[in-house]
């Protein structure tokens, strides 16, 4: 055992031991090695098996199956459902319906006008034009009604998320105890793939809009709560003290100082909540959310990339507009406002409301309340032709480099298989040890403990093998993502033009529902794990590229200047100054990459990725709580472990402030 | 005078306020709220009568829906909402009234027992007229070269030819969406076949893969079912499995026989069946043939027509068929 | 100007109770902090020992002092000496561990929430080192903030705030936001906010240490001007000795949570209580702080009738100027009586830090006023204006200083 030998060697030479302990990283490893040397022989003697020992698993199939049956049998009679969930569900239906009817009543003209005017008030003329164009595009693509359905669902879900998040955030921001209790939960929810949420919600609420809204709220509220708490906690101590010194009551302190001081974080929270709600609204189509997501999902079923794209584009447009608008609002908050702006602002809103009503009425009297059918542009055919051409020419037999199918085959045989077999062949305690070492090296003993416990929980749940399969896909996808992401990120950081060209591409890929590119990916790479990995790479790349570019760009100018002044070539500058200084950003990129990749590798269950993703899909498709929930829990643990293993201590410390 | 006017305005305001509050109370209620009786918020949006149909992910089901939707809309004046749900959850949704009807069911005895027999929230809506059959298929071009591949006993001989990167050292048996009824893993084990079941995770992925194989004229072995429009694009031949006998698939772990032939059924929500008026009657009457369904499916999936256009085309050509479905 | 000072002093004489009276105040941070003040053994430990023994840090140790009405009371010390904690204890922004604080005879530590709030709202307002302005409000609304939380109506508080904004010289910037102002301007807003509630005491916590030297000088002048005009009691925390000497009527010098010396600037510089204080004030230009009262010796018979005359409160540097001009020793005249003379040797002794200062006090103890308590009693108003004027050591300062010292005494 390697562990034992490292323990005895330094003990012989005390001076070397001292030197080793002085090095923190080595010290940690050493300690871990000691612990391992003691524990592993015992554990190995007791449960000698390569894979997770069967004796240590808990079979939840029976109880979960019973729970599921009980819920279905009692859903229309038990008071818990009648008097609690029933009302929640009812309220959701009423709210969504109310918003939907308002949107329909406003007609396409009214809604478009309102969107443009709101964007104008909040973010200026440029975005107003963009918002108007985006809504018109939704109409042109023939997606007006689904867009309104999604919008209605989004509005309700976002409002509920914001309220829920703000309340939680307020509690955590004002009470240390709540904060300590809530933070690990929120941290964890942040890294969960959306797919893992669906099944329990569906079971309680059944397929349909209430389930979709609630799943969305559960998914989208955490960032709001986190950022609210963060904003409240980070309120400038000096200001708070000054306010207290003037004799403000607790209420006054909160309302006139603490909350206004947190405005930026609150808006950032709103922004993130909207983005997450939108991405979830699409995924929730699997459980009957309707709207645009459903169109994408249905198009996927008939292998119709063009139709999927027609529904996907409005989603991208909505996302980009909402993101830019809330971000611009956040930037404006800090900026100077000329005199008397506030009053002007009020009247501005009045004008906006009046124009909206006027436009809506005009359209109504002109009999143009529905989007005219003749104004619809069909993009499905050309897109499908393009995709067909692409797949048929790239799939196989391309001279010299081989087709994409060959690549996928090679990737599976030479990368995915060895990694998976390697992981699954490793003794289970060795896996835990590696996880502990990585997490400890990058974080504290707490991180290491969380990571190891999460990994062990996977074993206990009895899904050790599929989880390692999923893990192997994640690792492979992350590796590819990082290689490409760093390369492109560096290129973009060094050239404004590259960055400018990349920006819209990144926007689109970041917000495009993953469902849309699952089919082209299958067409190119066949069914199996390779396409799942490819989809994950496509999804995670934008974030990695962005963070890399930003990290490199923000490197201290003085350091760069001094390097230049000493005559460093640009390559030297990059290697010796930029990359080392951008290390925190690069680590963040790794962390984000891992979390995003995991999310899509799970969805990869839809294209033959198998493992946990397939189990979740299977659970949803068959209403099988035992399979689905266990797989979902395993994904949660896997996400937790991966996050802890890749999350540098600095970031945690900052978050803890 | 003025005072009284002002008073009356105030009174009116209070009344409106009270009314609003009252509505909300009634709406969200202090009483019991049975969410199994709530309909979609998008339903009846413009005062029209709405029917909500469950669409399953395969194209055949889409064809049923497309034709039914078109006729409900244009002949009977209904508004139709469709929700894409997998099969088992669709039963649940149907029981709750979230959807009014499932047009094509491939047999779910457990669900039937629970909802039709025990809870009585779902009723059988009669047969669709189409018979479904699940089996293992190889492409006809491959079967013609190697006629003996169509017997399961010879499958092991071809395992090496049917290998892919994903299946590793064994042959690949391509399986479909997780929502489908399948015994394939057990079959492979019990028939001692050197094959690896590779789940494609969705029908879309499976079809795409089959088409890519066909384009390259590669051999493959896949789980597939009839009726299916893909047979017209990629002719496939069934591999004979040990014959189906009643009850041979009772224990899912010991299955070693072929899949049965299933007359596909329609199911309706019990309330809708009673009070759904013409729409319910129409859906009960709806019955067509495998060929009809395939015709529409092919238009949708291969000619990339929208379901609506495809339905219209079929309806224009088969008036006599659908006339009979309309309630008198 | 002289009239306001006079008025302030007269009022001071009328009210006996000090504005703030602090007795045996302790503030200990750490686990089980309460036991430290009561335990004679623990209380006697040094800061480092206390930390290793108990894990506690005593920021304020057994501090007692009075702040008299109308004076500028400076608490001076290096960072970590506990001065900022001390000032926060006065209005219980930090809750003291033990001891007593009273404001005009009323026990502060016994106040309930409402009384305490009233204290903070109306009686003592604070100006902070980092301004503590609300970034989302305009200058005017920041200034009016204290009034707003008192519940004053919008129009009224804005009118009041506008008047204060003008008083601190921020006219025309009312609608700016703090982020658009320079540091000096921001601190003027902070000052205006404190003034707007018309408190009895203004508390300053190192208000100018974040500012550039030139702006700091401006702001100090501003405070001196305000004090001259309004005679408001001020407690001023600083780590800057020059600032303390310029502004303070009395200075409490803190080290490790204790007050090591309390007295007028002249006493601190002239007779440091221990080596620490001596080291501290070593580089102070003594001639600008010391008065001739402390440097003089009894006059010989022939000296009584000749030479330039100065008031007892005049600084040594003024006397030097007079001696250099006339060539004779300076007579210290009070009410037409010659108290003594200051000659070359005495003056040089002050400048060199050898002769006068402690020497005079210890050696001859010329009169009762050189005793710590009594000297400051009489000199409160005078030395305030003396130190205020002496900053520049210009000739106008002499003119400013001489009369009041004469007349009042």
């Amino acid at each position: 055992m390697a562990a034992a030998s490292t323990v005895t060697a330094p003990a012989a030479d005390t001076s070397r031991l001292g030197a080793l302990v002085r090095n923190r990283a080595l010290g940690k490893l050493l300690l871990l090695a000691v612990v391992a040397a003691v524990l592993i022989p015992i554990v190995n003697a007791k449960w000698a098996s390569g894979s997770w020992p069967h004796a240590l698993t808990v079979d939840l199939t029976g109880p979960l199956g019973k729970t599921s049956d009980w819920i279905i049998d009692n859903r229309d009679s038990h008071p818990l459902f009648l008097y609690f969930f029933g009302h929640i569900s009812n309220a959701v239906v009423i709210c969504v319906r109310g918003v939907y009817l308002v949107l329909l009543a406003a007609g396409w003209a009214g809604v478009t006008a309102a969107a443009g005017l709101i964007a104008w008030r909040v973010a200026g003329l440029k975005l107003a034009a963009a918002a108007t164009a985006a809504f018109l595009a939704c109409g042109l693509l023939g997606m007006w009604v689904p867009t309104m359905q999604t919008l209605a669902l989004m509005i309700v879900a976002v409002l509920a998320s914001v309220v829920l998040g703000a309340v939680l955030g307020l509690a955590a921001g004002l009470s240390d105890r709540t904060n300590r209790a809530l933070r690990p939960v929120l941290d964890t929810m942040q890294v969960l793939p959306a797919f893992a949420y669906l099944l329990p919600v569906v079971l309680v609420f059944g397929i349909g809009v209430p389930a979709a809204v609630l799943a969305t709220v559960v998914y989208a509220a955490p960032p709001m709560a986190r950022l609210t708490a963060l904003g409240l906690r980070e309120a400038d101590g000096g200001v708070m003290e000054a306010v207290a010194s003037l004799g403000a009551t607790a209420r006054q302190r909160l309302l006139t100082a603490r909350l206004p001081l947190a405005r930026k974080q609150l808006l950032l929270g709103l922004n993130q909540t909207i983005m997450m709600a939108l991405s979830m609204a699409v995924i929730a189509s699997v459980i009957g959310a309707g709207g645009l997501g459903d169109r994408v999902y249905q198009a996927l079923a008939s292998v119709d990339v063009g139709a999927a794209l027609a529904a996907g584009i409005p989603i991208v447009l909505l996302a980009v507009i909402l993101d830019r608008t809330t971000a611009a609002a956040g930037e404006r908050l800090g900026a100077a406002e000329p005199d008397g702006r506030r009053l002007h602002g009020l009247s501005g809103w009045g004008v906006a409301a009046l124009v909206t009503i006027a436009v809506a009425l005009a359209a109504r009297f002109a009999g143009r309340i529905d989007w005219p059918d003749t104004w619809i542009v069909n993009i499905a055919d050309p897109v499908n032709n393009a995709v067909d051409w692409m797949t048929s020419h790239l799939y196989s037999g391309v001279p010299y480099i081989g087709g994409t199918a060959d690549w996928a085959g090679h990737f599976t045989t030479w990368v995915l298989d060895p990694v998976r077999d390697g992981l699954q062949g490793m003794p289970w305690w060795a896996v835990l040890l590696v996880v502990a070492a990585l997490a400890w090296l990058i974080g504290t003993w707490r991180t290491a403990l969380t990571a190891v416990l999460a990994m062990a929980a996977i074993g206990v749940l009895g899904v050790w093998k599929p989880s390692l399969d999923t893990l192997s896909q994640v690792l492979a996808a992350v590796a590819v993502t990082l290689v490409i992401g760093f390369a492109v990120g560096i290129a973009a950081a060094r050239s404004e033009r590259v960055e400018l060209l990349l920006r819209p591409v990144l926007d689109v890929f970041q917000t495009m529902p993953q469902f849309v590119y699952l089919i082209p990916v299958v067409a190119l790479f066949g069914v199996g794990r390779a396409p799942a990995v490819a989809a994950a790479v496509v999804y995670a790349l934008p974030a990695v590229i962005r963070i890399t570019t930003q990290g490199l760009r923000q490197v201290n100018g003085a350091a760069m200047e001094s390097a230049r002044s000493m005559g460093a070539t640009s390559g030297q500058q990059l290697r010796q100054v930029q990359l080392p200084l951008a290390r925190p950003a690069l680590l963040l990129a790794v962390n984000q990459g891992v979390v995003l990749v995991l999310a899509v590798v799970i969805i990869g269950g839809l294209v033959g990725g198998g493992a946990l993703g397939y189990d979740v899909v299977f659970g949803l498709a068959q209403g099988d709580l035992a399979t689905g929930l266990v797989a979902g829990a395993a994904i949660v643990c896997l996400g937790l472990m991966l996050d802890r293993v890749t999350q540098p201590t600095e970031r945690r410390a900052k978050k803890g402030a | 005078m003025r005072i009284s006017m002002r008073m009356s305005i105030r009174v009116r305001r209070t009344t409106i306020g009270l009314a609003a509050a009252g509505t909300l109370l009634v709406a969200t209620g202090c009483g019991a709220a049975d969410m199994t009786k709530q309909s979609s918020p998008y339903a009846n949006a413009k005062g029209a009568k709405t029917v909500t149909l469950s669409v399953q992910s395969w194209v055949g089901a889409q064809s049923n829906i497309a034709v039914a939707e078109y006729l409900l809309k244009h002949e009977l004046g209904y508004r139709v909402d469709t929700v894409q749900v997998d099969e088992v959850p669709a039963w649940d949704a149907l029981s709750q009234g979230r959807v009014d009807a499932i047009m094509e069911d491939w047999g779910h005895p457990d669900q039937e027992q629970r909802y039709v027999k025990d809870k009585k929230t779902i009723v059988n809506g009669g047969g669709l007229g189409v018979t479904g059959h699940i089996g293992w298929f190889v492409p006809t071009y491959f079967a013609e070269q190697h006629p003996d591949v169509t017997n399961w006993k010879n499958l092991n001989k071809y395992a090496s030819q049917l290998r892919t990167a994903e299946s590793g050292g064994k042959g690949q048996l391509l399986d479909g969406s997780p929502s489908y009824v399948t015994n394939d893993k057990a079959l492979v084990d019990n028939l001692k076949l050197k094959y690896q079941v590779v789940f494609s995770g969705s029908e879309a992925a499976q079809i795409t893969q089959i088409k890519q194989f066909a384009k390259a004229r590669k051999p493959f072995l896949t789980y597939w079912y009839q009726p299916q429009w893909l047979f017209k694009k990629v002719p496939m031949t069934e591999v004979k499995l040990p014959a189906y006998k009643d009850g041979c698939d009772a224990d899912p772990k010991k299955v070693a026989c072929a899949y049965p032939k299933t007359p596909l059924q329609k199911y309706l929500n019990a309330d809708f069946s009673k009070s759904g008026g013409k729409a319910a009657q129409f859906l009960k009457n709806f019955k067509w043939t495998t060929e009809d369904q395939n015709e529409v499916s092919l238009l949708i999936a291969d000619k990339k027509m929208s379901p609506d256009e495809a339905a219209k085309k079929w309806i224009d050509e088969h008036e006599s068929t659908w006339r009979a479905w309309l309630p008198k | 100007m002289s009239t306001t000072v006079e008025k302030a002093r007269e009022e001071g004489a009328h009210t006996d109770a000090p504005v703030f009276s602090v007795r045996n105040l302790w503030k200990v941070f750490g686990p089980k902090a309460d036991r430290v003040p009561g335990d004679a053994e623990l209380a006697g430990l040094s800061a480092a020992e206390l930390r290793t023994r108990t894990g506690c840090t005593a920021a304020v140790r057994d501090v007692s002092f009075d702040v008299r009405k109308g004076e500028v009371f400076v608490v001076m010390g290096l960072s970590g000496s506990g001065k900022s904690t001390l000032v926060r204890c006065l209005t219980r922004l930090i809750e003291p561990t033990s001891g007593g604080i009273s404001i005009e005879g009323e026990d502060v530590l016994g106040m309930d929430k409402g009384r305490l709030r009233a204290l903070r709202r109306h009686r003592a307002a604070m100006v902070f080192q980092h301004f503590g302005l609300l970034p989302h409000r305009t200058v005017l609304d920041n200034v009016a903030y204290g009034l707003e939380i008192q519940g004053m109506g919008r129009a009224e508080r804005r009118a009041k705030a506008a008047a204060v904004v003008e008083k601190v010289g921020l006219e025309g910037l009312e609608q700016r936001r703090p982020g658009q102002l320079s540091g000096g301007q921001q601190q003027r807003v902070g000052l205006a906010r404190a003034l707007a509630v018309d408190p009895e005491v203004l508390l300053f916590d190192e208000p100018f240490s974040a500012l550039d030297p030139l702006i700091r000088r401006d702001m100090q002048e501003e405070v001196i001007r305000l004090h001259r005009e309004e005679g408001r009691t001020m407690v001023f925390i600083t780590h800057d000795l020059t600032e303390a000497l310029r502004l303070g009527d009395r200075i409490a010098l803190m080290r490790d949570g204790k007050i090591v010396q309390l007295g007028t600037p002249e006493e601190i510089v002239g007779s440091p209580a221990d080596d620490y204080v001596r080291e501290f004030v070593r580089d102070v230009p003594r001639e600008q702080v010391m008065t001739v009262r402390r440097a003089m010796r009894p006059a010989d018979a022939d000296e009584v009738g000749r030479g330039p005359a100065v008031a007892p409160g005049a600084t040594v540097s003024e006397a030097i100027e007079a001696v250099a001009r006339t060539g004779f020793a300076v007579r210290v005249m009070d009410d037409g009586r010659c108290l003594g003379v200051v000659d070359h040797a005495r003056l040089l002794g002050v400048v060199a830090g050898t002769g006068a200062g402690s020497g005079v006090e210890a050696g001859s103890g010329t009169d009762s006023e050189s005793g710590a308590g009594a000297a400051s009693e009489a000199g409160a108003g005078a030395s305030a204006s003396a130190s205020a004027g002496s900053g520049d050591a210009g000739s106008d300062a002499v003119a400013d200083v001489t009369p009041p010292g004469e007349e009042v005494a």
Side-chain angles (χ1 to χ4, degrees), chain A residues 251-449:
Chain A
R251 217 177 99 94
Q252 285 172 328
R253 285 201 295 273
L254 178 65
L255 291 180
T256 61
R258 208 177 267 281
L259 275 176
L261 286 174
R263 288 168 315 164
K264 275 213 158 174
Q265 265 92 351
L266 291 179
L267 258 177
L268 188 62
L270 176 67
N271 174 291
Q272 292 205 2
T273 296
I274 290 178
M275 299 314 284
M276 295 191 75
L278 194 55
S279 76
M280 188 63 170
V282 176
I283 292 175
S285 64
V286 177
I287 56 169
L292 291 171
D294 195 56
R295 294 302 174 98
V296 176
Y297 193 48
Q298 288 192 22
L300 179 72
S302 54
V303 202
D304 188 344
V305 182
L309 201 65
I313 289 173
I315 294 170
V316 172
L317 291 175
L318 275 184
V320 173
I321 292 298
L322 287 169
D323 178 46
R324 292 289 144 76
T325 309
T326 44
E331 272 160 33
R332 282 205 164 190
L333 270 183
E337 283 180 47
D339 302 358
R341 175 66 185 257
R342 189 167 295 176
L343 209 120
H344 180 226
L346 273 181
S347 61
W349 282 111
V351 170
L354 282 178
V355 172
T356 304
I357 293 170
V359 170
L361 287 178
R364 179 166 281 255
F365 287 126
R368 283 251 182 254
I369 198 155
D370 289 323
W371 185 271
D373 283 346
T374 47
W375 294 5
I376 291 172
V377 179
N378 186 3
I379 65 156
D381 291 341
V383 169
N384 282 328
N385 291 339
V387 170
D388 280 349
W389 183 90
M390 190 179 77
T391 51
S392 60
H393 286 79
L394 297 180
Y395 183 67
S396 64
V398 181
Y400 306 119
I401 53 169
T404 48
D406 303 332
W407 297 1
H410 293 318
F411 189 75
T412 309
T413 317
W414 299 111
V415 179
L416 285 171
D417 283 350
V419 175
R420 180 183 64 185
D421 297 345
L423 281 174
Q424 290 181 341
M426 245 160 109
W428 58 275
W429 44 263
V431 174
L432 292 187
L433 201 62
V434 169
V435 167
L438 285 175
W440 205 10
L441 279 182
I442 204 157
T444 61
W445 66 270
R446 274 166 190 278
T447 15
L449 192 66

Side-chain angles (χ1 to χ4, degrees), chain A residues 161-194:
Chain A
S161 305
V162 165
V163 170
L164 180 70
V167 168
L168 288 178
L170 212 59
L174 299 180
S175 143
D176 284 331
R177 193 186 294 174
T178 319
N179 190 43
R180 269 198 304 276
L182 215 54
R183 244 195 58 209
V185 179
L186 295 179
D187 276 357
T188 309
M189 292 180 88
Q190 196 88 333
V191 300
L192 295 194

Side-chain angles (χ1 to χ4, degrees), chain B residues 167-322:
Chain B
S167 65
K170 299 174 178 175
Q172 170 174 292
L173 169 57
L174 190 64
D175 248 61
S177 154
S179 67
Y180 295 166
V181 177
T182 174
N183 308 321
D184 285 2
K185 271 196 164 174
L187 275 173
V188 167
D189 285 348
N190 297 336
L191 298 177
K192 304 204 168 38
L193 298 175
K194 283 184 271 176
Y195 281 79
Q196 169 83 33
V197 181
V198 172
F199 288 97
S200 44
S202 60
E203 186 178 279
Q206 194 181 8
I207 291 177
T208 311
Q209 177 70 82
I210 291 174
K211 279 171 135 182
Q212 290 291 38
F213 280 141
K215 220 177 266 172
R217 309 289 284 179
K218 278 190 184 168
F220 61 87
L221 174 66
T222 185
Y223 166 105
W224 207 233
Y225 61 92
Q226 285 169 319
Q228 233 295 350
W229 57 272
L230 190 66
F231 285 105
K232 296 216 172 137
K233 293 290 295 178
V234 181
M236 286 184 270
T237 309
E238 187 172 1
V239 176
K240 278 197 195 71
L241 291 170
Y244 176 82
K245 286 189 207 94
D246 262 355
C248 76
D249 55 357
D251 183 353
K253 288 217 174 94
K254 292 189 188 146
V255 180
C257 60
Y259 294 90
K261 291 200 186 309
T262 317
L264 305 182
Q265 299 294 307
K266 294 173 291 180
Y267 286 93
L268 270 60
N269 176 279
D271 291 340
F272 173 75
S273 165
K274 259 180 257 151
S275 53
K278 286 187 168 179
Q281 195 52 50
F282 164 78
L283 290 176
K284 284 179 201 162
N285 294 346
F286 190 104
K287 192 167 187 176
W288 61 353
T289 61
T290 306
E291 289 69 38
D292 289 328
Q293 194 196 48
N294 267 342
E295 195 177 332
V296 183
S297 300
L298 202 61
L299 292 176
I300 296 174
D302 200 58
K303 298 274 187 292
K304 301 290 179 212
M305 275 192 181
S306 76
D308 201 50
E309 288 164 355
K312 186 170 183 304
K313 191 162 188 299
W314 182 87
I315 283 163
D316 287 346
E317 290 163 13
H318 299 79
E319 186 163 351
S320 59
T321 315
W322 57 263

Side-chain angles (χ1 to χ4, degrees), chain A residues 13-24 26-27:
Chain A
D13 184 347
T14 41
S15 70
R16 246 180 75 206
L17 180 73
L20 277 175
V21 172
R22 247 169 273 142
N23 184 329
R24 260 181 70 227
L26 272 178

Side-chain angles (χ1 to χ4, degrees), chain A residues 479-501:
Chain A
V480 176
T481 308
L482 291 183
V483 169
I484 303 177
F486 284 164
V488 178
I490 289 171
R494 303 182 69 174
S495 151
E496 292 275 352
R497 197 187 304 165
V498 173
E499 199 189 2
L500 220 63
L501 281 175

Side-chain angles (χ1 to χ4, degrees), chain A residues 203-216:
Chain A
L203 191 67
V204 172
F205 291 97
I207 293 273
V209 171
V213 167
L214 288 166
T216 308

